PDB file of all heavy atoms in Angstrom:
ATOM      1  N   SER A   1      -6.276 -16.532  -3.656  1.00  0.00           N
ATOM      2  CA  SER A   1      -5.539 -15.270  -3.841  1.00  0.00           C
ATOM      3  C   SER A   1      -4.067 -15.462  -4.191  1.00  0.00           C
ATOM      4  O   SER A   1      -3.333 -14.487  -4.279  1.00  0.00           O
ATOM      5  CB  SER A   1      -5.663 -14.404  -2.583  1.00  0.00           C
ATOM      6  OG  SER A   1      -5.077 -15.046  -1.477  1.00  0.00           O
ATOM      7  N   ILE A   2      -3.626 -16.681  -4.421  1.00  0.00           N
ATOM      8  CA  ILE A   2      -2.232 -16.911  -4.807  1.00  0.00           C
ATOM      9  C   ILE A   2      -1.907 -16.189  -6.110  1.00  0.00           C
ATOM     10  O   ILE A   2      -0.821 -15.612  -6.263  1.00  0.00           O
ATOM     11  CB  ILE A   2      -1.945 -18.424  -4.938  1.00  0.00           C
ATOM     12  CG1 ILE A   2      -2.069 -19.113  -3.573  1.00  0.00           C
ATOM     13  CG2 ILE A   2      -0.586 -18.678  -5.555  1.00  0.00           C
ATOM     14  CD1 ILE A   2      -1.096 -18.647  -2.527  1.00  0.00           C
ATOM     15  N   ASP A   3      -2.836 -16.192  -7.065  1.00  0.00           N
ATOM     16  CA  ASP A   3      -2.600 -15.494  -8.315  1.00  0.00           C
ATOM     17  C   ASP A   3      -2.458 -13.986  -8.111  1.00  0.00           C
ATOM     18  O   ASP A   3      -1.721 -13.315  -8.836  1.00  0.00           O
ATOM     19  CB  ASP A   3      -3.668 -15.808  -9.356  1.00  0.00           C
ATOM     20  CG  ASP A   3      -5.089 -15.670  -8.830  1.00  0.00           C
ATOM     21  OD1 ASP A   3      -5.284 -15.388  -7.625  1.00  0.00           O
ATOM     22  OD2 ASP A   3      -6.020 -15.865  -9.631  1.00  0.00           O
ATOM     23  N   ALA A   4      -3.098 -13.445  -7.079  1.00  0.00           N
ATOM     24  CA  ALA A   4      -2.959 -12.014  -6.768  1.00  0.00           C
ATOM     25  C   ALA A   4      -1.545 -11.715  -6.264  1.00  0.00           C
ATOM     26  O   ALA A   4      -1.015 -10.630  -6.506  1.00  0.00           O
ATOM     27  CB  ALA A   4      -3.991 -11.579  -5.748  1.00  0.00           C
ATOM     28  N   LEU A   5      -0.921 -12.667  -5.574  1.00  0.00           N
ATOM     29  CA  LEU A   5       0.464 -12.515  -5.140  1.00  0.00           C
ATOM     30  C   LEU A   5       1.374 -12.376  -6.356  1.00  0.00           C
ATOM     31  O   LEU A   5       2.226 -11.479  -6.408  1.00  0.00           O
ATOM     32  CB  LEU A   5       0.884 -13.718  -4.290  1.00  0.00           C
ATOM     33  CG  LEU A   5       2.320 -13.727  -3.793  1.00  0.00           C
ATOM     34  CD1 LEU A   5       2.493 -12.759  -2.638  1.00  0.00           C
ATOM     35  CD2 LEU A   5       2.718 -15.130  -3.367  1.00  0.00           C
ATOM     36  N   ALA A   6       1.185 -13.228  -7.339  1.00  0.00           N
ATOM     37  CA  ALA A   6       1.989 -13.162  -8.562  1.00  0.00           C
ATOM     38  C   ALA A   6       1.744 -11.855  -9.313  1.00  0.00           C
ATOM     39  O   ALA A   6       2.688 -11.260  -9.860  1.00  0.00           O
ATOM     40  CB  ALA A   6       1.683 -14.360  -9.451  1.00  0.00           C
ATOM     41  N   CYS A   7       0.509 -11.384  -9.323  1.00  0.00           N
ATOM     42  CA  CYS A   7       0.231 -10.095  -9.972  1.00  0.00           C
ATOM     43  C   CYS A   7       0.911  -8.955  -9.232  1.00  0.00           C
ATOM     44  O   CYS A   7       1.363  -7.997  -9.849  1.00  0.00           O
ATOM     45  CB  CYS A   7      -1.267  -9.846 -10.065  1.00  0.00           C
ATOM     46  SG  CYS A   7      -2.020 -10.657 -11.469  1.00  0.00           S
ATOM     47  N   GLY A   8       1.002  -9.055  -7.923  1.00  0.00           N
ATOM     48  CA  GLY A   8       1.710  -8.043  -7.146  1.00  0.00           C
ATOM     49  C   GLY A   8       3.179  -7.972  -7.534  1.00  0.00           C
ATOM     50  O   GLY A   8       3.757  -6.883  -7.624  1.00  0.00           O
ATOM     51  N   VAL A   9       3.789  -9.128  -7.779  1.00  0.00           N
ATOM     52  CA  VAL A   9       5.177  -9.150  -8.267  1.00  0.00           C
ATOM     53  C   VAL A   9       5.247  -8.423  -9.601  1.00  0.00           C
ATOM     54  O   VAL A   9       6.145  -7.608  -9.838  1.00  0.00           O
ATOM     55  CB  VAL A   9       5.701 -10.604  -8.408  1.00  0.00           C
ATOM     56  CG1 VAL A   9       7.051 -10.637  -9.101  1.00  0.00           C
ATOM     57  CG2 VAL A   9       5.785 -11.278  -7.042  1.00  0.00           C
ATOM     58  N   THR A  10       4.273  -8.689 -10.468  1.00  0.00           N
ATOM     59  CA  THR A  10       4.214  -8.025 -11.771  1.00  0.00           C
ATOM     60  C   THR A  10       4.072  -6.517 -11.614  1.00  0.00           C
ATOM     61  O   THR A  10       4.718  -5.742 -12.326  1.00  0.00           O
ATOM     62  CB  THR A  10       3.027  -8.581 -12.590  1.00  0.00           C
ATOM     63  OG1 THR A  10       3.175  -9.984 -12.721  1.00  0.00           O
ATOM     64  CG2 THR A  10       2.970  -7.946 -13.965  1.00  0.00           C
ATOM     65  N   PHE A  11       3.244  -6.070 -10.674  1.00  0.00           N
ATOM     66  CA  PHE A  11       3.042  -4.641 -10.459  1.00  0.00           C
ATOM     67  C   PHE A  11       4.336  -3.929 -10.077  1.00  0.00           C
ATOM     68  O   PHE A  11       4.504  -2.742 -10.353  1.00  0.00           O
ATOM     69  CB  PHE A  11       1.998  -4.386  -9.370  1.00  0.00           C
ATOM     70  CG  PHE A  11       0.586  -4.715  -9.765  1.00  0.00           C
ATOM     71  CD1 PHE A  11      -0.349  -5.030  -8.788  1.00  0.00           C
ATOM     72  CD2 PHE A  11       0.173  -4.703 -11.080  1.00  0.00           C
ATOM     73  CE1 PHE A  11      -1.663  -5.324  -9.121  1.00  0.00           C
ATOM     74  CE2 PHE A  11      -1.127  -4.998 -11.431  1.00  0.00           C
ATOM     75  CZ  PHE A  11      -2.047  -5.307 -10.453  1.00  0.00           C
ATOM     76  N   ALA A  12       5.256  -4.634  -9.443  1.00  0.00           N
ATOM     77  CA  ALA A  12       6.530  -4.025  -9.055  1.00  0.00           C
ATOM     78  C   ALA A  12       7.345  -3.625 -10.275  1.00  0.00           C
ATOM     79  O   ALA A  12       8.178  -2.721 -10.202  1.00  0.00           O
ATOM     80  CB  ALA A  12       7.332  -4.989  -8.177  1.00  0.00           C
ATOM     81  N   PHE A  13       7.119  -4.293 -11.402  1.00  0.00           N
ATOM     82  CA  PHE A  13       7.864  -3.999 -12.620  1.00  0.00           C
ATOM     83  C   PHE A  13       7.174  -2.964 -13.492  1.00  0.00           C
ATOM     84  O   PHE A  13       7.737  -2.511 -14.479  1.00  0.00           O
ATOM     85  CB  PHE A  13       8.072  -5.278 -13.445  1.00  0.00           C
ATOM     86  CG  PHE A  13       8.786  -6.348 -12.683  1.00  0.00           C
ATOM     87  CD1 PHE A  13       8.207  -7.581 -12.495  1.00  0.00           C
ATOM     88  CD2 PHE A  13      10.043  -6.125 -12.149  1.00  0.00           C
ATOM     89  CE1 PHE A  13       8.859  -8.568 -11.794  1.00  0.00           C
ATOM     90  CE2 PHE A  13      10.703  -7.111 -11.447  1.00  0.00           C
ATOM     91  CZ  PHE A  13      10.112  -8.337 -11.276  1.00  0.00           C
ATOM     92  N   LEU A  14       5.972  -2.597 -13.155  1.00  0.00           N
ATOM     93  CA  LEU A  14       5.185  -1.657 -13.949  1.00  0.00           C
ATOM     94  C   LEU A  14       4.993  -0.367 -13.172  1.00  0.00           C
ATOM     95  O   LEU A  14       5.234  -0.300 -11.981  1.00  0.00           O
ATOM     96  CB  LEU A  14       3.822  -2.279 -14.285  1.00  0.00           C
ATOM     97  CG  LEU A  14       3.867  -3.635 -14.982  1.00  0.00           C
ATOM     98  CD1 LEU A  14       2.464  -4.223 -15.079  1.00  0.00           C
ATOM     99  CD2 LEU A  14       4.490  -3.512 -16.353  1.00  0.00           C
ATOM    100  N   ASP A  15       4.538   0.647 -13.856  1.00  0.00           N
ATOM    101  CA  ASP A  15       4.256   1.925 -13.209  1.00  0.00           C
ATOM    102  C   ASP A  15       2.863   1.837 -12.583  1.00  0.00           C
ATOM    103  O   ASP A  15       1.870   2.271 -13.161  1.00  0.00           O
ATOM    104  CB  ASP A  15       4.313   3.053 -14.250  1.00  0.00           C
ATOM    105  CG  ASP A  15       4.111   4.405 -13.623  1.00  0.00           C
ATOM    106  OD1 ASP A  15       4.404   4.561 -12.420  1.00  0.00           O
ATOM    107  OD2 ASP A  15       3.652   5.314 -14.337  1.00  0.00           O
ATOM    108  N   THR A  16       2.809   1.251 -11.376  1.00  0.00           N
ATOM    109  CA  THR A  16       1.529   0.995 -10.722  1.00  0.00           C
ATOM    110  C   THR A  16       1.549   1.535  -9.299  1.00  0.00           C
ATOM    111  O   THR A  16       2.485   1.288  -8.552  1.00  0.00           O
ATOM    112  CB  THR A  16       1.259  -0.529 -10.673  1.00  0.00           C
ATOM    113  OG1 THR A  16       1.338  -1.058 -11.993  1.00  0.00           O
ATOM    114  CG2 THR A  16      -0.097  -0.827 -10.091  1.00  0.00           C
ATOM    115  N   ASP A  17       0.509   2.268  -8.941  1.00  0.00           N
ATOM    116  CA  ASP A  17       0.320   2.682  -7.551  1.00  0.00           C
ATOM    117  C   ASP A  17      -0.254   1.477  -6.813  1.00  0.00           C
ATOM    118  O   ASP A  17      -1.433   1.159  -6.931  1.00  0.00           O
ATOM    119  CB  ASP A  17      -0.637   3.871  -7.484  1.00  0.00           C
ATOM    120  CG  ASP A  17      -1.008   4.266  -6.061  1.00  0.00           C
ATOM    121  OD1 ASP A  17      -0.385   3.765  -5.108  1.00  0.00           O
ATOM    122  OD2 ASP A  17      -1.936   5.090  -5.918  1.00  0.00           O
ATOM    123  N   ILE A  18       0.591   0.784  -6.066  1.00  0.00           N
ATOM    124  CA  ILE A  18       0.216  -0.491  -5.462  1.00  0.00           C
ATOM    125  C   ILE A  18      -0.923  -0.349  -4.454  1.00  0.00           C
ATOM    126  O   ILE A  18      -1.768  -1.234  -4.338  1.00  0.00           O
ATOM    127  CB  ILE A  18       1.435  -1.208  -4.844  1.00  0.00           C
ATOM    128  CG1 ILE A  18       1.068  -2.644  -4.436  1.00  0.00           C
ATOM    129  CG2 ILE A  18       1.987  -0.440  -3.664  1.00  0.00           C
ATOM    130  CD1 ILE A  18       0.582  -3.526  -5.551  1.00  0.00           C
ATOM    131  N   TRP A  19      -0.978   0.759  -3.737  1.00  0.00           N
ATOM    132  CA  TRP A  19      -2.039   0.947  -2.748  1.00  0.00           C
ATOM    133  C   TRP A  19      -3.400   1.071  -3.425  1.00  0.00           C
ATOM    134  O   TRP A  19      -4.376   0.470  -2.980  1.00  0.00           O
ATOM    135  CB  TRP A  19      -1.741   2.148  -1.855  1.00  0.00           C
ATOM    136  CG  TRP A  19      -0.494   1.920  -1.055  1.00  0.00           C
ATOM    137  CD1 TRP A  19       0.727   2.486  -1.270  1.00  0.00           C
ATOM    138  CD2 TRP A  19      -0.334   1.041   0.064  1.00  0.00           C
ATOM    139  NE1 TRP A  19       1.644   2.007  -0.358  1.00  0.00           N
ATOM    140  CE2 TRP A  19       1.010   1.114   0.480  1.00  0.00           C
ATOM    141  CE3 TRP A  19      -1.190   0.184   0.739  1.00  0.00           C
ATOM    142  CZ2 TRP A  19       1.514   0.394   1.549  1.00  0.00           C
ATOM    143  CZ3 TRP A  19      -0.693  -0.541   1.814  1.00  0.00           C
ATOM    144  CH2 TRP A  19       0.640  -0.440   2.201  1.00  0.00           C
ATOM    145  N   SER A  20      -3.457   1.847  -4.496  1.00  0.00           N
ATOM    146  CA  SER A  20      -4.711   1.972  -5.248  1.00  0.00           C
ATOM    147  C   SER A  20      -5.075   0.647  -5.903  1.00  0.00           C
ATOM    148  O   SER A  20      -6.241   0.245  -5.892  1.00  0.00           O
ATOM    149  CB  SER A  20      -4.585   3.052  -6.327  1.00  0.00           C
ATOM    150  OG  SER A  20      -4.403   4.310  -5.740  1.00  0.00           O
ATOM    151  N   ALA A  21      -4.069  -0.024  -6.471  1.00  0.00           N
ATOM    152  CA  ALA A  21      -4.320  -1.307  -7.123  1.00  0.00           C
ATOM    153  C   ALA A  21      -4.870  -2.324  -6.120  1.00  0.00           C
ATOM    154  O   ALA A  21      -5.848  -3.028  -6.407  1.00  0.00           O
ATOM    155  CB  ALA A  21      -3.043  -1.833  -7.772  1.00  0.00           C
ATOM    156  N   ALA A  22      -4.259  -2.404  -4.952  1.00  0.00           N
ATOM    157  CA  ALA A  22      -4.712  -3.350  -3.928  1.00  0.00           C
ATOM    158  C   ALA A  22      -6.139  -3.017  -3.482  1.00  0.00           C
ATOM    159  O   ALA A  22      -6.961  -3.923  -3.288  1.00  0.00           O
ATOM    160  CB  ALA A  22      -3.763  -3.344  -2.741  1.00  0.00           C
ATOM    161  N   ALA A  23      -6.434  -1.727  -3.339  1.00  0.00           N
ATOM    162  CA  ALA A  23      -7.783  -1.316  -2.929  1.00  0.00           C
ATOM    163  C   ALA A  23      -8.814  -1.674  -4.001  1.00  0.00           C
ATOM    164  O   ALA A  23      -9.903  -2.173  -3.683  1.00  0.00           O
ATOM    165  CB  ALA A  23      -7.819   0.180  -2.632  1.00  0.00           C
ATOM    166  N   ILE A  24      -8.478  -1.430  -5.257  1.00  0.00           N
ATOM    167  CA  ILE A  24      -9.398  -1.747  -6.356  1.00  0.00           C
ATOM    168  C   ILE A  24      -9.626  -3.253  -6.433  1.00  0.00           C
ATOM    169  O   ILE A  24     -10.759  -3.721  -6.550  1.00  0.00           O
ATOM    170  CB  ILE A  24      -8.865  -1.195  -7.697  1.00  0.00           C
ATOM    171  CG1 ILE A  24      -8.936   0.340  -7.699  1.00  0.00           C
ATOM    172  CG2 ILE A  24      -9.635  -1.772  -8.884  1.00  0.00           C
ATOM    173  CD1 ILE A  24      -8.189   1.006  -8.841  1.00  0.00           C
ATOM    174  N   ILE A  25      -8.549  -4.021  -6.366  1.00  0.00           N
ATOM    175  CA  ILE A  25      -8.651  -5.474  -6.453  1.00  0.00           C
ATOM    176  C   ILE A  25      -9.442  -6.025  -5.266  1.00  0.00           C
ATOM    177  O   ILE A  25     -10.325  -6.874  -5.426  1.00  0.00           O
ATOM    178  CB  ILE A  25      -7.252  -6.115  -6.552  1.00  0.00           C
ATOM    179  CG1 ILE A  25      -6.618  -5.774  -7.903  1.00  0.00           C
ATOM    180  CG2 ILE A  25      -7.326  -7.635  -6.352  1.00  0.00           C
ATOM    181  CD1 ILE A  25      -5.142  -6.098  -7.994  1.00  0.00           C
ATOM    182  N   GLY A  26      -9.151  -5.542  -4.066  1.00  0.00           N
ATOM    183  CA  GLY A  26      -9.862  -6.006  -2.882  1.00  0.00           C
ATOM    184  C   GLY A  26     -11.342  -5.665  -2.916  1.00  0.00           C
ATOM    185  O   GLY A  26     -12.194  -6.497  -2.594  1.00  0.00           O
ATOM    186  N   THR A  27     -11.657  -4.443  -3.310  1.00  0.00           N
ATOM    187  CA  THR A  27     -13.054  -4.010  -3.380  1.00  0.00           C
ATOM    188  C   THR A  27     -13.813  -4.784  -4.453  1.00  0.00           C
ATOM    189  O   THR A  27     -14.953  -5.214  -4.233  1.00  0.00           O
ATOM    190  CB  THR A  27     -13.137  -2.493  -3.655  1.00  0.00           C
ATOM    191  OG1 THR A  27     -12.431  -1.801  -2.623  1.00  0.00           O
ATOM    192  CG2 THR A  27     -14.575  -2.012  -3.719  1.00  0.00           C
ATOM    193  N   THR A  28     -13.184  -4.956  -5.601  1.00  0.00           N
ATOM    194  CA  THR A  28     -13.805  -5.723  -6.681  1.00  0.00           C
ATOM    195  C   THR A  28     -14.106  -7.144  -6.228  1.00  0.00           C
ATOM    196  O   THR A  28     -15.203  -7.673  -6.454  1.00  0.00           O
ATOM    197  CB  THR A  28     -12.882  -5.744  -7.916  1.00  0.00           C
ATOM    198  OG1 THR A  28     -12.633  -4.404  -8.327  1.00  0.00           O
ATOM    199  CG2 THR A  28     -13.504  -6.512  -9.063  1.00  0.00           C
ATOM    200  N   THR A  29     -13.141  -7.762  -5.555  1.00  0.00           N
ATOM    201  CA  THR A  29     -13.333  -9.128  -5.072  1.00  0.00           C
ATOM    202  C   THR A  29     -14.413  -9.180  -4.000  1.00  0.00           C
ATOM    203  O   THR A  29     -15.225 -10.106  -3.978  1.00  0.00           O
ATOM    204  CB  THR A  29     -12.011  -9.709  -4.534  1.00  0.00           C
ATOM    205  OG1 THR A  29     -11.024  -9.648  -5.564  1.00  0.00           O
ATOM    206  CG2 THR A  29     -12.182 -11.147  -4.085  1.00  0.00           C
ATOM    207  N   PHE A  30     -14.428  -8.206  -3.110  1.00  0.00           N
ATOM    208  CA  PHE A  30     -15.471  -8.130  -2.075  1.00  0.00           C
ATOM    209  C   PHE A  30     -16.856  -8.171  -2.715  1.00  0.00           C
ATOM    210  O   PHE A  30     -17.707  -8.983  -2.358  1.00  0.00           O
ATOM    211  CB  PHE A  30     -15.278  -6.857  -1.248  1.00  0.00           C
ATOM    212  CG  PHE A  30     -16.321  -6.652  -0.182  1.00  0.00           C
ATOM    213  CD1 PHE A  30     -16.150  -7.200   1.074  1.00  0.00           C
ATOM    214  CD2 PHE A  30     -17.461  -5.911  -0.434  1.00  0.00           C
ATOM    215  CE1 PHE A  30     -17.107  -7.017   2.076  1.00  0.00           C
ATOM    216  CE2 PHE A  30     -18.425  -5.721   0.548  1.00  0.00           C
ATOM    217  CZ  PHE A  30     -18.246  -6.274   1.810  1.00  0.00           C
ATOM    218  N   VAL A  31     -17.065  -7.289  -3.678  1.00  0.00           N
ATOM    219  CA  VAL A  31     -18.376  -7.169  -4.326  1.00  0.00           C
ATOM    220  C   VAL A  31     -18.714  -8.436  -5.120  1.00  0.00           C
ATOM    221  O   VAL A  31     -19.811  -8.985  -5.006  1.00  0.00           O
ATOM    222  CB  VAL A  31     -18.422  -5.919  -5.233  1.00  0.00           C
ATOM    223  CG1 VAL A  31     -19.674  -5.900  -6.103  1.00  0.00           C
ATOM    224  CG2 VAL A  31     -18.321  -4.650  -4.399  1.00  0.00           C
ATOM    225  N   LEU A  32     -17.749  -8.913  -5.922  1.00  0.00           N
ATOM    226  CA  LEU A  32     -18.026 -10.090  -6.747  1.00  0.00           C
ATOM    227  C   LEU A  32     -18.220 -11.355  -5.916  1.00  0.00           C
ATOM    228  O   LEU A  32     -18.966 -12.253  -6.313  1.00  0.00           O
ATOM    229  CB  LEU A  32     -16.930 -10.281  -7.795  1.00  0.00           C
ATOM    230  CG  LEU A  32     -16.948  -9.265  -8.936  1.00  0.00           C
ATOM    231  CD1 LEU A  32     -15.779  -9.472  -9.879  1.00  0.00           C
ATOM    232  CD2 LEU A  32     -18.262  -9.314  -9.692  1.00  0.00           C
TER     233      LEU A  32
END
């Protein structure tokens, strides 16, 4: 998940709802 940390830094610079993004990423990873 280190790469997810770097993506989180990227999300800070974009118009991203971090809570929704984290939920989507976590759920996707759970299933996959």
Side-chain angles (χ1 to χ4, degrees):
S1 63
I2 295 298
D3 49 357
L5 178 76
C7 277
V9 172
T10 303
F11 289 155
F13 302 122
L14 305 172
D15 183 26
T16 305
D17 174 11
I18 190 59
W19 296 105
S20 295
I24 291 168
I25 291 168
T27 302
T28 302
T29 303
F30 178 88
V31 170
L32 288 176

